[in-house]
Amino acid sequence: MPSTRRISARVAAIAESATLAVDAKAKALKAAGEPVIGFGAGEPDFPTPAPIVEAAIEAARTPRFHKYTPAAGLPELREAVALKTKRDSAYDVTASQVLITNGGKHAVYNAFTTLLDPGDEVLLPAPYWTTYPEPIRLAGGVPVVLPTDESTGFRVTVDQLEAALTPQTKVLLFVSPSNPTGAVYPRDEVEVIGRWAAEKGVWVLTDEIYEHLTYGDHSFTSMASVVPELADRCIVVNGVAKTYAMTGWRVGWMIGPTDVVKAAANLQSHATSNVANVSQAAALAAVSGDLSAVAEMRAAFERRGRTMYSMLSGVQGVTLLEPQGAFYAFPNLTSHLGRTIRGRKVETTLDLCAVLLDEGKVAIVPGEAFDAPGYARLSFALGDDDLGEGCQRIGDLLSEG
Ligand SMILES: Cc1ncc(COP(=O)(O)O)c(C=O)c1O
């Protein structure tokens, strides 16, 4: 008998992206004429800087780019990413260690598919970006969730890692600055965690996509640069999306030991082949240009993050850490659970976010999306006026009753 199953069990088990779902609902309400303010999207509100767009237009006119190019990426872009990694992360790599992917998300997918065998465990500090567990499970791997909260600044400790280590542990997922918490690990903690992984023979997938977005005294540290002995078991994930306001262009990369990158390129050659050449040309202009546009956007995010922090921390029963990096605030809303707001019983942050959307016309992402019920994520990558108005609405609604 042929199988009656229409969707494979593996794919049927994939959770819907809660962040995209919130964004889609907010956009649909907006399109229907509702004055919704969306704090859901994880993308800069700025347009891509003009010189990058010009490079893409030029590429679109160049017949060489109308053809297939090497699956692992344009050689000049792989080279430029290697140089940029040395410039920004003090991490010395060659072009052959760089695989150009369809966004950072695809790099995460390629990396886990390439590294994991069924039963391999991945240490996954929570709250975590909703995408991480899915490619781990698809590859047959097992996410081992390590909860963190504001008492440690949402940073995992070596004691937690040590307690979770088993003979099946293969990879540690590390992300700083963090989506969703906005936490940034100080250099000494990055070093201690990297040393631990190197000593134990655990691979590290370090997601560095928010490297340029740090605020106040906080600064980014690339794990492989401070723990060189990790290099043979380290995968760096990065991309142009957040740094250069290029989320729609879909260019990211993974950097790793040459054998892993070669294997991942082989995988990619059968899945997507090369990333669109026009996008690669734009990414080349981005990573080989100066960082002046990035500095301007970073300054705007820093200002908005401060405004959001001061407005939300003034709301009764809301506590949060000041965002240190990325563009997210991650307030603790547990004191509002169990309340009735506008006649609706609020038991969970899922309920609370639904009330905020329906009654306050404000879209925020419930912590359940990041394995952190009780919290919510608000992006501050939106214009100052909307940001102020949206925070005001949240404050007004939560202060009722
Ligand atoms: C932590 C983290 N890593 C990777 C990505 C992937 O970005 P993209 O696929 O747009 O390059 C995102 C996007 O939201 C992210 O927040």
Side-chain angles (χ1 to χ4, degrees), residues 65-369:
F65 292 129
H66 303 168
K67 310 287 184 196
Y68 291 127
T69 52
L74 293 173
E76 57 271 42
L77 179 55
R78 297 175 82 191
E79 190 64 52
V81 168
L83 286 174
K84 166 253 168 291
T85 304
K86 175 132 173 95
R87 177 192 70 185
D88 298 339
S89 310
Y91 183 35
D92 230 331
V93 294
T94 61
S96 62
Q97 290 179 261
V98 178
L99 169 64
I100 306 299
T101 59
N102 288 277
K105 205 174 248 191
H106 187 211
V108 171
Y109 182 90
N110 278 346
F112 283 129
T113 306
T114 303
L115 288 180
L116 297 179
D117 278 314
D120 285 344
E121 293 177 357
V122 179
L123 302 179
L124 181 58
Y128 51 74
W129 181 42
T130 82
T131 284
Y132 294 136
E134 304 303 342
I136 295 172
R137 289 198 197 99
L138 266 176
V142 181
V144 176
V145 175
L146 308 179
T148 70
D149 60 25
E150 50 274 70
S151 67
T152 62
F154 293 108
R155 302 191 305 274
V156 76
T157 63
V158 166
D159 287 347
Q160 281 181 289
L161 298 173
E162 188 63 39
L165 187 71
T166 75
Q168 284 72 48
T169 307
K170 174 117 186 215
V171 185
L172 161 66
L173 188 295
F174 184 78
V175 54
S176 171
S178 158
N179 173 7
T181 65
V184 176
Y185 284 71
R187 183 190 162 106
D188 57 332
E189 288 182 29
V190 175
E191 195 171 335
V192 167
I193 290 172
R195 287 253 146 75
W196 175 86
E199 262 167 37
K200 305 292 174 181
V202 172
W203 290 73
V204 176
L205 190 160
T206 161
D207 185 337
E208 305 191 342
I209 205 144
Y210 294 101
E211 62 178 334
H212 287 288
L213 301 179
T214 58
Y215 311 120
D217 294 340
H218 302 278
S219 60
F220 162 74
T221 307
S222 181
M223 193 179 276
S225 73
V226 289
V227 187
E229 64 269 32
L230 189 64
D232 192 44
R233 284 206 186 81
C234 183
I235 309 288
V236 177
V237 166
N238 205 333
V240 291
K242 317 287 178 174
T243 305
Y244 301 97
M246 291 178 71
T247 46
W249 297 79
R250 311 309 305 139
V251 183
W253 51 87
M254 62 177 269
I255 298 174
T258 27
D259 58 340
V260 174
V261 167
K262 212 168 153 201
N266 193 17
L267 167 73
Q268 178 162 304
S269 77
H270 292 290
T272 59
S273 295
N274 62 276
V275 173
N277 292 320
V278 168
S279 287
Q280 290 200 69
L284 177 60
V287 298
S288 43
D290 69 29
L291 291 166
S292 52
V294 177
E296 274 175 41
M297 291 190 273
R298 193 211 63 80
F301 293 140
E302 178 156 34
R303 185 186 66 242
R304 296 166 182 180
R306 289 218 172 110
T307 304
M308 180 175 274
Y309 172 68
S310 80
M311 289 188 79
L312 292 182
S313 46
V315 177
Q316 197 193 343
V318 174
T319 55
L320 74 163
L321 298 179
E322 185 157 9
Q324 301 171 347
F327 32 61
Y328 307 106
F330 202 65
N332 183 329
L333 300 169
T334 42
S335 76
H336 288 279
L337 304 183
R339 291 184 53 200
T340 299
I341 302 175
R342 301 249 172 121
R344 289 167 63 170
K345 188 79 183 158
V346 169
E347 302 287 7
T348 64
T349 26
L350 276 170
D351 298 339
L352 184 59
C353 292
V355 170
L356 283 168
L357 184 55
D358 296 338
E359 302 291 332
K361 307 290 177 228
V362 182
I364 70 175
V365 186
E368 282 82 350

